[in-house]
Amino acid sequence: MPLTQRRFTVFLALASISFLVAISSTNAQAQGGLGSPLPNLAPSEAKAFTAGQSQFFRLWGVQEGLGPLTSDGGCSRCHKQPVIGGGAARLLTFYGLTNPDGSFDQFYLGGPFLQPLSNAPFIKSGLCTLQGEQVPVGATVEKRLTAPVFGFGLVDAIADADILNQAAFELNNYQADGIHGVANMVLDYHQVLRPGRFGRKAQQPTLLQQVAAAFGHDLGITNPLVKTEDCPQGDCNIDPNCTDNTPVPNNTNTGSGGKGIFNISHFARFLAPAAPQQTNLPGQTIFMSIGCNECHLPSYQTPAQVFYDTDLSGTQFGPSPSLSNQLVNLYSDLLLHDMGKKNAGTFPANTLITNQATQQQWRTTPLWGIFYRTAFWHNGSIKDIPSAILQHSPDGTGEAAAVLGKYQALSPSDQAALVAFVQSL
Ligand code: HEC
Ligand code: HEC
């Protein structure tokens, strides 16, 4: 069902707020420092942010469905720098098997998600002997750096049409530079094909799906969107001694309606993006003139009235005063670009961690909040911004080659000014 035709059961009664939202778009950004919520939350949104925050911060127990295998006990174990909701220098490991005929098995011996920890130490009976997973010998491995989630409700709110129009715009206008981003088209949980926007391959179309995938595969807590446990090292006969089936009152994670995943998603939804450290730096003009902006689109604007689901049946809340008509200064077109042979990942298209993205395609990384990052690039292999710039299609293959050439032709002082601008975002 198209978004606009879904059932809206909850409407915001505060006409004055809708009116304010309608007359001018605002720059949504953290006013109380990183980790604070968006300004102008509706009372129900403020409550949802606080409730979701405690779910995002906490560590889960075996009784609540954690495991039998897990990467870690809570979202905040990875998303924590410089404050919870951020990223980390920590990598997630994915693996599969490339067969001799070139075909790829993403489920090879428990792939694609490596879950190195088992909940055995926490099972009271002591009968569970399950070991954490190891990368099998000969497997094809891909590592990805934890990404921050500040401002991701705004990213979720950007209209699909705006992302698709941007892809068409690039095709028509950036031919000289060879730039033509494409959307990673993915089914959402209402079975609508939509442009993906979350994950380093833009492999998830909605914040809720990204959160449910993290809940299901990173933590090992099944939920209505990830209904079955990942098979430990490929063995789907999971020892019943390794799950604690004690019923927990009010355990909403696994139950119907998906309350648990909605609760956590609301924390990310209302988390404000970082504010730039400085504005009007001279490097901004260079960023625009050499074509960094052709992929790192400075901003999208959210629709005048944003509605979002509050349950899986499509009940919605809106128009949201915090998400409607906002400038989202993310510095990304949210599209996939071929970054050249040197940046090829190891997973081919059509897997759980890529969707339609090919090995060489990556989503333009949003640059907002880059000032606090300590590791860069999809695999965290780059340690500073100048090196990240030089990693754009460095072998002349891929879409960033022409822009990289223009960067290299700049005087050292112009290069420094450009880096200072990027560093301020
Ligand atoms: C073990 C570390 C780890 C844990 C635990 C973890 N994440 Fe992540 N998260 C990552 C990594 C790595 C990525 C990038 C994955 C990718 O691009 O495919 C990511 C990506 C994300 C993104 C998308 C970011 C973007 O740039 O599009 C969101 C949203 C997110 N995680 C939310 C969560 C939530 C909610 C939880 C808890 C339920 C969680 N994560 C638990 C490591 C982790
Ligand atoms: C063809 C599209 C394209 C162009 C042009 C482009 N970028 Fe990028 N940029 C990307 C993609 C895609 C990534 C993610 C690559 C990856 O992680 O594998 C990226 C990543 C980055 C990163 C690393 C961010 C992080 O946190 O890991 C920085 C910094 C950056 N770009 C700055 C620039 C600057 C400055 C310019 C202009 C000189 C530029 N980019 C031009 C597409 C582009």
Side-chain angles (χ1 to χ4, degrees):
M1 217 191 304
L3 273 174
T4 45
Q5 285 174 22
R6 276 196 225 130
R7 203 155 44 94
F8 305 146
T9 55
V10 192
F11 275 92
L12 186 73
L14 299 172
S16 56
I17 291 185
S18 315
F19 174 68
L20 278 178
V21 161
I23 48 176
S24 68
S25 73
T26 41
N27 276 305
Q29 58 195 31
Q31 293 182 334
L34 268 182
S36 57
L38 288 167
N40 301 326
L41 295 185
S44 66
E45 295 181 327
K47 253 175 87 183
F49 175 77
T50 312
Q53 188 174 39
S54 66
Q55 307 292 298
F56 195 96
F57 277 47
R58 63 168 301 200
L59 299 182
W60 298 84
V62 169
Q63 285 196 340
E64 295 162 303
L66 186 78
L69 290 181
T70 178
S71 301
D72 218 318
C75 313
S76 59
R77 297 281 293 168
C78 296
H79 294 277
K80 63 177 182 188
Q81 281 169 2
V83 297
I84 291 175
R90 185 166 164 176
L91 303 171
L92 269 183
T93 301
F94 303 94
Y95 65 88
L97 183 73
T98 311
N99 293 308
D101 65 0
S103 62
F104 188 79
D105 177 8
Q106 62 171 325
F107 298 113
Y108 177 61
L109 295 181
F113 307 96
L114 176 74
Q115 289 131 336
L117 305 173
S118 149
N119 63 8
F122 305 103
I123 302 277
K124 286 197 203 90
S125 67
L127 291 173
C128 172
T129 57
L130 187 70
Q131 302 282 307
E133 283 182 323
Q134 293 185 337
V135 177
V137 177
T140 299
V141 173
E142 184 163 305
K143 299 214 182 222
R144 292 198 192 160
L145 180 71
T146 309
V149 305
F150 302 115
F152 272 33
L154 295 165
V155 174
D156 200 50
I158 294 165
D160 291 1
D162 289 345
I163 298 176
L164 297 172
N165 286 340
Q166 173 65 18
F169 181 85
E170 289 180 15
L171 192 63
N172 292 328
N173 293 277
Y174 300 150
Q175 247 174 39
D177 284 337
I179 289 173
H180 42 78
V182 291
N184 196 352
M185 297 303 291
V186 196
L187 282 181
D188 77 0
Y189 58 96
H190 297 292
Q191 303 309 312
V192 178
L193 199 60
R194 300 180 52 193
R197 49 188 90 183
F198 299 103
R200 296 195 176 269
K201 294 268 186 188
Q203 72 268 22
Q204 295 288 1
T206 62
L207 184 58
L208 188 75
Q209 278 160 283
Q210 175 71 41
V211 168
F215 219 40
H217 303 298
D218 298 357
L219 306 190
I221 301 180
T222 50
N223 58 72
L225 295 184
V226 180
K227 291 195 175 112
T228 53
E229 299 284 6
D230 292 335
C231 303
Q233 213 82 70
D235 180 358
C236 299
N237 293 313
I238 298 171
D239 178 354
N241 290 317
C242 294
T243 49
D244 186 324
N245 293 319
T246 323
V248 179
N250 306 322
N251 182 356
T252 49
N253 315 308
T254 46
S256 62
K259 212 161 175 286
I261 46 177
F262 275 98
N263 282 345
I264 294 198
S265 73
H266 286 152
F267 170 63
R269 189 175 308 284
F270 302 121
L271 200 52
Q277 298 296 285
Q278 273 179 287
T279 48
N280 299 323
L281 287 176
Q284 185 164 11
T285 320
I286 305 170
F287 187 87
M288 308 299 280
S289 68
I290 67 169
C292 303
N293 64 318
E294 295 180 2
C295 302
H296 295 280
L297 180 71
S299 34
Y300 275 109
Q301 178 153 4
T302 62
Q305 296 201 325
V306 170
F307 295 82
Y308 53 85
D309 285 3
T310 55
D311 65 31
L312 287 171
S313 62
T315 307
Q316 293 200 318
F317 176 81
S320 161
S322 59
L323 299 172
S324 301
N325 203 27
Q326 300 293 315
L327 266 188
V328 191
N329 302 319
L330 79 171
Y331 287 89
S332 170
D333 55 8
L334 297 171
L335 298 169
L336 295 172
H337 295 274
D338 180 336
M339 297 301 280
K341 291 201 178 90
K342 274 221 169 119
N343 289 308
T346 57
F347 271 55
N350 302 315
T351 68
L352 287 175
I353 68 157
T354 53
N355 234 294
Q356 290 178 20
T358 63
Q359 284 169 254
Q360 290 179 202
Q361 283 177 326
W362 297 96
R363 176 195 67 178
T364 307
T365 307
L367 299 180
W368 59 1
I370 199 166
F371 64 87
Y372 61 76
R373 289 178 211 163
T374 55
F376 305 89
W377 222 243
H378 62 266
N379 54 9
S381 61
I382 307 279
K383 300 300 170 218
D384 55 57
I385 292 172
S387 313
I389 297 174
L390 293 173
Q391 191 64 23
H392 284 65
S393 303
D395 50 6
T397 68
E399 291 174 49
V403 172
L404 177 63
K406 291 184 207 177
Y407 169 79
Q408 286 168 321
L410 292 174
S411 68
S413 62
D414 280 354
Q415 288 186 351
L418 174 66
V419 170
F421 165 68
V422 172
Q423 174 73 48
S424 75
L425 294 174

